[in-house]
Amino acid sequence: MAPIPKIAFSKTHLPDSGTVAVLTDSKLGFSGSSKKLIAGIKGFDRIAKAAKFVGKAGSALEIAAPAGTDIDRLIVFGLGRGEGDPATEWVKTGGQVLGKIGNADKATVLVDIPPGLDDDAAKAATDMALGARLRSYSFDRYKTKKKPDEENGACASNLTFALDDEAGAKKAWKAHLALADGVDIARDLVNEPSNILYPEEFAKRAAKLVGDGVDVEILDERALKKLGMGALLGVGQGSDKESRVVVMRWNGAKSSKAKPVVFIGKGVTFDTGGISIKPAASMEDMKGDMAGAACVVGLMHTLAGRKAKVNAIGLIGLAENMPDGKAQRPGDIVTSMSGQTIEIINTDAEGRLVLGDVLWYAQDRFKPQFMVNLATLTGAILVALGQEYAGLFSNNDELSANLTAAGKAVNELVWRLPLADAYDKKIKADAADIKNISNGRDAGSIIAAQFLQRFVGDVPWAHLDIAGTAWSNESKPTIPKGATAYGVRLLDRLVADHYER
Ligand code: BES
Ligand code: MN
Ligand code: ZN
């Protein structure tokens, strides 16, 4: 949608035009072709000194039309570390470098690792390229006058990374590209307004994964009724738009019989709160109440795109929570697919109702190795963790540890919060088996997680409450303001590090 840079890798060379970026350390050291280029620039040391540039991490020195060269612009990018410092976060660096390059037509990054650092150049190049791609996204489908946005969507049209190990970089780039595309798919889905993206349309977009080699099955309301998904259907019954569940399957493991890993997303395409209607302020944000489902679609694209050696199943529960004459009421009792009856105390606690049925269906039909669900489930998780960490709830320590490690590796962080019987007691209902909220507002995110746990049986399971992390109010090096696609990189990494064989 938005212009994305054409990314290429080439052999080390000294470009004779365009913008050139080089890397330096905290001693202003250079190596390889970068060293040659800098040595040819008249008065470089004086320029750096006058600009007080010392190569600090994230800082850059920009020189227009440097004397002694034919290039248009030189950007010297500081990595700010010397010998013995921890490894640079190359993905973040790539986003920062693209931010400095801006919308140049042609830019070349010379991937010469500064002296004293021994990072692998192919890894540095491909990670930087990923960072540049992640940075360059913008959602401008509905802007009739397109301007390169200053804050979002910085974009060089042709971005080349030059290094000796061109072949190594080209090979490694394929998986990164599948990941960047998966992230953009998820961002587009979350940014799309709800008048365009309602359950049926969302299902259609998920069905595009067929082109990647993913099997896609769409369950309509008739099929959901037959399955007994009364909790999910209750959420959608006040909307003109029909509900859907989509099942996506990627069979990449050597054995088609290998137990699948299962990812489940909350896909409430708009959440008015239903009859327990939300206040008007910021209600527009509820177009993003399908970020969990968007993440699962983006993830399935990535896994298929990089031919991950895993059997993975994605399931998304799609419904629109609206208050009309057919809407469910507080006090209504519905029967879930699991057989448990649920008293609806608050129609705004709808995500857990959607997920309860999909979780049950997933473990019943697919007998997974584990299931991870993602959901913009509670405002309370924003109170607890803000936009920095997602809430992690799990019945399994190993899965939790793997998720925590993967989160650290890609900077999509999770923080584990408890589950306990004492909380479960608080959702026992007077008139049904369980109710969808507790009395009072205490521990709102845990109560919601506790509700979900009622539908997972014995399967290792983790719930990520992404109500805080799905959306960013500020631009970051690799995340433009808006939909973050939180979870795509995290779960891709989880699979890559622990579950491929
Ligand atoms: N979709 C909301 C949660 C949410 C809030 C997501 C803010 C993103 C930002 C969810 O369906 C909801 O309304 N939860 C209620 C639960 C309450 C009624 C127990 C909430 O958090 O207020
Ligand atoms: Mn709600
Ligand atoms: Zn919701």
Side-chain angles (χ1 to χ4, degrees), residues 21 88 223 253 342:
T88 306
I342 306 165

Side-chain angles (χ1 to χ4, degrees), residues 137-154:
Y137 175 88
S138 75
F139 183 73
D140 53 10
R141 181 172 287 170
Y142 299 102
K143 300 233 185 195
T144 58
K145 296 189 189 80
K146 304 207 196 246
K147 259 198 245 155
D149 190 320
E150 291 282 296
E151 204 173 358
N152 288 353

Side-chain angles (χ1 to χ4, degrees), residues 179-203:
L179 180 56
D181 288 341
V183 166
D184 283 355
I185 287 171
R187 286 171 172 172
D188 276 349
L189 287 167
V190 174
N191 285 323
E192 196 73 72
S194 304
N195 58 329
I196 307 290
L197 195 71
Y198 45 88
E200 201 181 338
E201 174 62 21
F202 196 124

Side-chain angles (χ1 to χ4, degrees), residues 148-461:
D149 190 320
E150 291 282 296
E151 204 173 358
N152 288 353
C155 179
S157 338
N158 288 288
L159 182 58
T160 302
F161 293 84
L163 72 167
D164 287 334
D165 188 12
E166 177 199 12
K170 279 185 170 156
K171 197 166 160 235
W173 177 240
K174 282 192 188 146
H176 278 45
L177 188 59
L179 180 56
D181 288 341
V183 166
D184 283 355
I185 287 171
R187 286 171 172 172
D188 276 349
L189 287 167
V190 174
N191 285 323
E192 196 73 72
S194 304
N195 58 329
I196 307 290
L197 195 71
Y198 45 88
E200 201 181 338
E201 174 62 21
F202 196 124
K204 271 193 198 142
R205 298 212 186 170
K208 288 186 184 163
L209 292 173
V210 170
D212 302 326
V214 174
D215 292 336
V216 179
E217 192 182 332
I218 298 175
L219 307 178
D220 62 11
E221 286 201 347
R222 243 187 67 183
L224 300 177
K225 243 175 235 152
K226 223 169 138 190
L227 286 166
M229 292 202 190
L232 182 148
L233 286 167
V235 171
Q237 85 188 27
S239 167
D240 270 352
K241 309 290 190 194
E242 282 199 14
S243 302
R244 293 286 184 272
V245 167
V246 183
V247 183
M248 296 155 272
R249 307 181 71 145
W250 166 249
N251 285 315
K254 279 202 196 87
S255 160
S256 63
K257 289 197 194 80
K259 271 190 168 189
V261 299
V262 171
F263 301 102
I264 295 162
K266 168 180 174 182
V268 173
T269 59
F270 195 78
D271 181 13
T272 64
I275 296 300
S276 314
I277 199 160
K278 287 181 179 297
S282 301
M283 205 205 273
E284 70 277 12
D285 292 351
M286 287 302 118
K287 74 170 184 174
D289 209 16
M290 29 52 73
C295 170
V296 170
V297 174
L299 174 69
M300 294 305 290
H301 171 86
T302 298
L303 294 177
R306 68 175 184 77
K307 305 220 174 327
K309 293 187 183 60
V310 67
N311 293 338
I313 297 175
L315 290 132
I316 54 180
L318 303 166
E320 187 183 47
N321 190 18
M322 297 285 272
D324 82 348
K326 298 191 297 300
Q328 75 180 345
R329 293 149 290 253
D332 282 5
I333 294 175
V334 296
T335 303
S336 65
M337 185 185 170
S338 72
Q340 295 173 96
T341 56
I342 306 165
E343 189 172 6
I344 310 296
I345 306 298
N346 187 318
T347 63
D348 196 12
E350 86 296 341
R352 60 199 77 179
L353 299 168
V354 170
L355 286 174
D357 272 341
V358 181
L359 284 164
W360 181 264
Y361 177 66
Q363 56 85 37
D364 184 52
R365 175 170 170 196
F366 298 112
K367 315 286 180 232
Q369 253 184 88
F370 68 76
M371 357 188 235
V372 176
N373 75 260
L374 306 102
T376 47
L377 204 62
T378 65
I381 205 69
L382 265 151
V383 177
L385 301 173
Q387 293 193 323
E388 314 306 325
Y389 281 75
L392 161 65
F393 302 83
S394 180
N395 59 6
N396 187 283
D397 291 343
E398 187 188 334
L399 181 57
S400 294
N402 290 347
L403 278 163
T404 302
K408 278 191 188 143
V410 302
N411 198 27
E412 289 188 342
L413 303 169
V414 302
W415 195 263
R416 193 175 181 184
L417 291 163
L419 293 164
D421 282 345
Y423 296 110
D424 182 76
K425 285 203 182 75
K426 297 186 195 290
I427 52 170
K428 286 191 175 143
D430 293 335
D433 298 334
I434 47 175
K435 53 186 179 180
N436 75 332
I437 63 168
S438 64
N439 303 331
R441 298 187 330 168
D442 290 359
S445 303
I446 301 176
I447 296 290
Q450 213 66 60
F451 185 95
L452 297 184
Q453 194 176 17
R454 286 272 186 155
F455 299 87
V456 303
D458 300 329
V459 174
W461 154 81

